[in-house]
Amino acid sequence: MKKLVHRLGWPGTIALAVVLLFVFVGLFAPWIAPYPAQGAGAPNVLAKLAPPSADYWLGTDHLGRDILSRIIYGTRVSLTNGVLIVAFSLLIGLPVGLAAGYFGGWIDEALMRGTDVFLAFPALLLAVLMAAALGPGFLNSIIAVAVTWWPWYARLARAEVLVLRGQPYVEAARLAGVSHPRIIARHILPATGRPLTVQAALDVGPALLTAAALSFLGLGVLPPTADWGQMVDAGRKFFPARWWYSAMPGLTIFIVALAFSVLGDALRERKGGTVRAPA
Amino acid sequence: MSPAPMLDVRDLVIRYRAGLFAPRPKPAVNGASFRLEKGETLGIVGESGSGKTSLLRAILRLLPVESGTVRLDGQDWLALQGDALRGARQKIGVVSQNPFLSLSPRLTIAEIVAEPLLAAGARQGPALREKIAALVADCGLTADFLDRRAREISGGQAQRVAIARALALEPGLLILDEPTSALDVSVQAQILNLLADLKESRGLSMLFVTHNLKVVAHISDTLLVMRRGDVIEFGRTEAVIAAPAEAYTRDLLSFGRKAAAG
């Protein structure tokens, strides 16, 4: 514990705890939520729009469902959203960046100019366009955001590879007759891992935020599945008189996004990690 | 006609590309020609910027050549491409200047030395491990080193590992790019002695690039002096040192003597 605090600092440790808490809550939602059925979407019309109370800690929504339970169930959607967006982006961006940086020349030009096309659009606009074209839904919204996200990984991977490619030990492998795929697998990929994982950890927060924005616009998961962004949107009609409907999920988004970003910063600047290669 | 030399370079011109509309720069290597006979050592000397590194990188096919020919053991070396080139690289072992930078920080010594063997189709297993241990032993290191990483050993030890890796596929030609300049003087002597022993026991030809004439005079049979891209002197080491034809070589020599005296 002491070691962890030393490595990440207090803000980073707290952020890590918050992130782990949400992961735990997401995993065990049916056991943690006070009203699991309502969390999953069952209406409860007897208690429509009830303010926060001992029975409903964070109040209820327009169908009388417990907001705390809805938020807990929404954690599953939001976290998988964030993680899957980053994973999909890595899946496309990493190979593109590796190939561009390693082979250089016209391959580099072709791949990176293609990447630039995606970067030329404002990210959220492109995501909205993609989501509108694909139609709402869980997987579609992830694909829509990942399309705007992967170019950053491609650029980052390319920059890392450009440095590595000139390293004498990579050159030595080439001169020893090692094939390109093997050099990439043995020398390039392991060394790009660290900066890319840090970037990925940093990005889960913003990715989840973008996904929430899409579902706020009605382009994310479909009701009755609980989703934070969608809850904020649904609560707008009752704002400010029934403030808790929008505010509670909104606050949750804020906390999670903040935790991921603080954790990302802490990871980037962490102390006492593995020793880096000299020079 | 004597048997084909290990390396036969004729009229080699290397020029770095400038921008599309920039005037053509002076070539980095301007028509270099020399031969390296089998079992001999050729020393290439010159100050920094003389083109010796460019020449070396071109021979290693890391730089494109503008014109000229390179024959390796009678084979047209510049014509090889792709997989053929990758396979043919086995004939040349390379040791570079900084031993730590040329060894991957993530791999163990055994993995580093195994790399060329695996690339050439060897299988993982006890036989491979034994072969690696033998190679490392030939270079003066015990088997304890096999599971260490490059950052855990000294500069001289790291250079021995680099030499073991270069010799893994039993190349006929060993190319050494300033192999001792990153080491301190006593270790330099050990590495030079190791190289001399290996040359003897394995019948290696060596191409030894350095700016240190004293080192090269000690180890090489023939000597090539470069200056600003031109080969200004090429001949038997004794002849070049006894009667340098160019003022530049005399300068290099006298500098070497002063350094030796001081």
Side-chain angles (χ1 to χ4, degrees), chain A residues 27-51:
Chain A
L27 282 176
F28 297 100
W31 293 275
I32 294 170
Y35 303 93
Q38 294 172 21
N44 173 29
V45 282
L46 295 174
K48 271 191 208 167
L49 295 168

Side-chain angles (χ1 to χ4, degrees), chain B residues 61-92:
Chain B
R61 296 290 307 269
L62 292 171
L63 265 186
V65 166
E66 189 172 289
S67 64
T69 57
V70 177
R71 293 191 160 272
L72 181 75
D73 205 2
Q75 191 184 18
D76 185 355
W77 177 241
L78 297 180
L80 295 172
Q81 290 297 340
D83 279 347
L85 173 63
R86 201 162 63 74
R89 283 193 192 282
Q90 296 177 9
K91 293 183 187 170
I92 302 183

Side-chain angles (χ1 to χ4, degrees), chain A residues 140 163 230 273:
Chain A
N140 285 352
V163 175
Q230 179 207 331

Side-chain angles (χ1 to χ4, degrees), chain A residues 38-238:
Chain A
Q38 294 172 21
N44 173 29
V45 282
L46 295 174
K48 271 191 208 167
L49 295 168
S53 66
D55 284 343
Y56 305 102
W57 290 3
L58 302 181
T60 65
D61 66 9
H62 66 292
L63 294 174
R65 296 171 297 195
D66 178 37
I67 292 204
L68 178 61
S69 302
R70 298 286 289 166
I71 288 176
I72 287 172
Y73 269 76
T75 306
R76 298 182 142 183
V77 174
S78 289
L79 286 182
T80 19
N81 258 331
V83 172
L84 283 183
I85 288 168
V86 170
F88 272 141
S89 305
L90 269 176
L91 209 64
I92 311 169
L94 186 61
V96 169
L98 280 180
Y102 186 81
F103 294 106
W106 67 267
I107 296 178
D108 184 22
E109 282 296 322
L111 288 174
M112 292 325 282
R113 293 303 78 77
T115 310
D116 285 347
V117 171
F118 286 90
L119 285 173
F121 292 97
L124 188 59
L125 189 66
L126 183 59
V128 168
L129 279 173
M130 281 299 298
L134 293 168
F138 179 65
L139 203 62
N140 285 352
S141 71
I142 289 172
I143 293 170
V145 182
V147 162
T148 70
W149 221 273
W150 69 268
W152 299 104
Y153 290 105
R155 291 177 71 109
L156 184 65
R158 176 176 173 271
E160 291 291 329
V161 174
L162 281 182
V163 175
L164 284 167
R165 196 179 56 162
Q167 289 288 319
Y169 70 85
V170 176
E171 214 163 63
R174 232 174 105 199
L175 291 175
V178 182
S179 64
H180 291 310
R182 223 182 130 77
I183 291 178
I184 291 175
R186 296 265 293 178
H187 296 291
I188 306 274
L189 214 49
T192 46
R194 177 181 158 131
L196 279 173
T197 39
V198 171
Q199 188 60 39
L202 265 168
D203 276 358
V204 173
L208 168 166
L209 211 58
T210 311
L214 278 191
S215 72
F216 175 80
L217 295 171
L219 297 167
V221 296
L222 295 167
T225 311
D227 178 272
W228 301 341
Q230 179 207 331
M231 287 167 77
V232 174
D233 178 43
R236 254 176 348 132
K237 277 178 259 171
F238 310 99

